[in-house]
Amino acid sequence: MSCSRIASLVVPLLVFGCAAAPQASDQAGLLEQVMQAEQEFADTMAKRDFAAFQGFVSESAVFITGTETLDGRARVTEAWKPFFD
C-alpha cells in the first residue's frame, strides 16, 4: 500500500478524533456529571433504595463477581437485592 493511500485513510481518522475529543473546558463539566451520577448511585445503597438502584442498572449490564458473571438488569438486581433488605 502506498504512503499516499495510507495517509488518505489515517488523516481523516486523526482529524475526526481530534474534533470528537472534548475540549479542556468541557472536561470539568463532564467530570462533574460523572461524579454526580456516581454519588447518586452510591446513595441508593446508603439509603437502601432498591428501586432507585434498579434505575441505574442498564438492561445490558454485566457485573462480574468473584464466582460468576451476571448478565442483564434482572440478574444483576436479583443478586444485589439482599444488600438492600
Side-chain angles (χ1 to χ4, degrees), residues 16-37:
F16 176 75
C18 290
Q23 301 299 314
S25 60
D26 297 335
Q27 290 179 355
L30 294 173
L31 177 60
E32 181 60 33
Q33 288 177 7
V34 170
M35 290 175 62
Q36 171 101 20

Side-chain angles (χ1 to χ4, degrees), residues 3-60:
C3 287
S4 62
R5 177 79 174 135
I6 292 172
S8 70
L9 296 173
V10 172
V11 170
L13 292 174
L14 292 174
V15 170
F16 176 75
C18 290
Q23 301 299 314
S25 60
D26 297 335
Q27 290 179 355
L30 294 173
L31 177 60
E32 181 60 33
Q33 288 177 7
V34 170
M35 290 175 62
Q36 171 101 20
E38 178 61 30
Q39 184 61 56
E40 290 172 5
F41 179 74
D43 287 347
T44 68
M45 288 293 292
K47 295 175 183 175
R48 298 295 187 250
D49 187 344
F50 186 64
F53 170 78
Q54 288 175 300
F56 278 94
V57 181
S58 168
E59 286 291 340
S60 59

